[in-house]
Amino acid sequence: MGGGDEIPQGNKLLPVPHSTASYWRSDPHWLDEYRSTEDLPSQADIVIISTGIAGVSTAYHLLNRKDNDDTPQPSILLLEARQVCSGTTGRNGGHIKKLPSTIVDLIQSLGSTAAGEVIKFIRANIYAVKHVIENEKIEAQGELRRSFDVSLHEEDAIEVKAEFERQLKSGFPLTEDLQYVGEQFAERITSIRGAKCGLSTVVLSFWPYKFVIQLLERVLNKGTANLQTNTPVTAIETDDDEGYTIYTEREKLRTATIVFATNGYTAGLLPQYRDVITPTKATASHITVPPGQNAPYLSNTYNIRYTKDRVDYLNPRPDGSIVVGGGKWTYEKERELWYDVHDDSTLIEPARHYFDELMQRHFRGWEDSGAETESVWTGIQGVTKDGAPHIGKVPGSSGQYILAGYNGGGNAFAFLAGHAIARMIREGITFEETGIPICLKTTQARLDVSKA
């Protein structure tokens, strides 16, 4: 760093090197470890920290303006601690949905009206991502599908059916897309042995890494954005003029506006979010069928509910392989393995072999498929105590914005959250004017309640 200044080392919550290898990142793009310039810029109008779907979406919407907008484009600096999309987005389930069988929890925590607004927002994200994939000609295997929540336990199935009927009677928004399948045909329709019932809804299945990195390519083609990978942010200081000095492991720079798309790592740079957004470690896998073996093609995605509190998710790929995540019940009681943990360089040992022969155990026609676990990886989620992400201007700040804390469901919120943050910055509008559900707004009150 120039000038002989000492770099503050305030951030102890950084992505670790040598993360476990995710299937989604198995074919690195040429931008994966790209730096637009050899040296780090000394200043930028807007700095976005992290290049998952939230950060890249914000950059895209900042630069993707109406044709009649002739104001100068802002200079944008995207800082990534590791490789592009190497965090949660590059490690998740690869689909956009809200589990219909857990809507009751959402209603209980937020109330029916707010829960309905969240459901509409998730649906809007499905079609917004679909549209940009088509409009920008992004090759990310984007596909509208049905997604089934399948109950294997009799008591759980009874509760799921009763809640569906209550939602149907009340006209809850999700029921417009929701379909119930009873035990008579559940096993045949879902292909899952022992299925007691199924609830299906619309889902967008896609390859998250390919989506994000190709969208980032469109951003960089605009000409005013600069990407700097392998550049962890170590500290941020507020200047006298209410701007900010950002310290990295390379150089320092100045900006008036910072976007924290940092999810589970947020509290390392914004200490007021400590115990508000907590990093938690989760695990997923990629299952393949050996050459010469056959297995029925699965055209839906799934959440298998062994019991109410034990759920795995599956996202079949177009090539016939399966991405499976979950297995939390194998390690949930050992909180030191996963809660307040930000190291994704190791596996969660109790779940290492959990996915072996999962397809043979549960899916009709897969008994003799020879399906095997090709890879297992971990990722870091950002979990909030009230179950909702934090989006908007950081309370008490002049130019800091946050979109983080997705509780393992970032795909369902982040793209349009980035659009909202971009509008707040460029147009100077309030959070309320963005149209995002008010229950997702980050506020001092929410921070205080989470810490109480």
Side-chain angles (χ1 to χ4, degrees), residues 320-334:
S321 66
I322 316 287
V323 170
V324 185
K328 186 176 180 180
W329 68 274
T330 64
Y331 58 84
E332 187 168 16
K333 293 181 180 179
E334 300 177 71

Side-chain angles (χ1 to χ4, degrees), residues 148-214:
F148 276 92
D149 284 12
V150 181
S151 295
L152 301 186
H153 192 274
E154 189 71 43
E155 291 184 5
D156 182 58
I158 292 172
E159 292 182 14
V160 166
K161 181 181 180 182
E163 183 57 33
F164 167 72
E165 291 176 344
R166 281 193 292 269
Q167 293 175 23
L168 194 65
K169 185 176 181 179
S170 68
F172 190 73
L174 182 67
T175 57
E176 297 175 13
D177 294 326
L178 203 58
Q179 184 68 52
Y180 174 81
V181 177
E183 186 172 4
Q184 181 180 2
F185 297 113
E187 184 173 309
R188 180 176 296 275
I189 289 175
T190 66
S191 297
I192 296 178
R193 290 196 300 275
K196 303 301 182 184
C197 76
L199 284 176
S200 72
T201 188
V202 176
V203 64
L204 181 71
S205 172
F206 70 120
W207 193 304
Y209 173 79
K210 291 185 177 182
F211 171 72
V212 167
I213 206 158
Q214 291 176 52

Side-chain angles (χ1 to χ4, degrees), residues 176-282:
E176 297 175 13
D177 294 326
L178 203 58
Q179 184 68 52
Y180 174 81
V181 177
E183 186 172 4
Q184 181 180 2
F185 297 113
E187 184 173 309
R188 180 176 296 275
I189 289 175
T190 66
S191 297
I192 296 178
R193 290 196 300 275
K196 303 301 182 184
C197 76
L199 284 176
S200 72
T201 188
V202 176
V203 64
L204 181 71
S205 172
F206 70 120
W207 193 304
Y209 173 79
K210 291 185 177 182
F211 171 72
V212 167
I213 206 158
Q214 291 176 52
L215 190 65
L216 177 58
E217 189 174 12
R218 307 316 189 255
V219 167
L220 296 179
N221 285 340
K222 298 287 186 180
T224 61
N226 185 305
L227 169 66
Q228 295 289 322
T229 62
N230 296 303
T231 306
V233 175
T234 58
I236 296 171
E237 292 182 349
T238 303
D239 299 334
D240 293 338
D241 58 359
E242 295 189 339
Y244 302 96
T245 297
I246 296 178
Y247 294 88
T248 76
E249 290 186 352
R250 296 166 59 200
E251 300 284 341
K252 67 178 180 179
L253 63 132
R254 297 193 73 255
T255 187
T257 304
I258 306 174
V259 176
F260 296 88
T262 41
N263 206 27
Y265 302 95
T266 298
L269 294 171
L270 291 173
Q272 61 267 53
Y273 285 86
R274 178 68 183 168
D275 299 323
V276 177
I277 301 177
T278 302
T280 63
K281 189 173 181 176

Side-chain angles (χ1 to χ4, degrees), residues 19-61:
S19 56
T20 51
S22 161
Y23 161 73
W24 300 120
R25 291 183 38 79
S26 59
D27 183 21
H29 189 273
W30 65 271
L31 284 176
D32 197 56
E33 298 193 73
Y34 185 74
R35 290 178 176 176
S36 299
T37 55
E38 181 177 355
D39 296 324
L40 193 68
S42 61
Q43 70 85 33
D45 294 328
I46 303 166
V47 173
I48 299 173
I49 304 175
S50 190
T51 57
I53 188 171
V56 173
S57 171
T58 304
Y60 174 76
H61 288 109

Side-chain angles (χ1 to χ4, degrees), residues 14 21 124 145 212 230 286 320 393 400 423:
L14 286 169
R145 296 178 175 179
V212 167
N230 296 303
H286 181 229
K393 181 174 281 190
Q400 296 184 347
R423 290 190 63 203

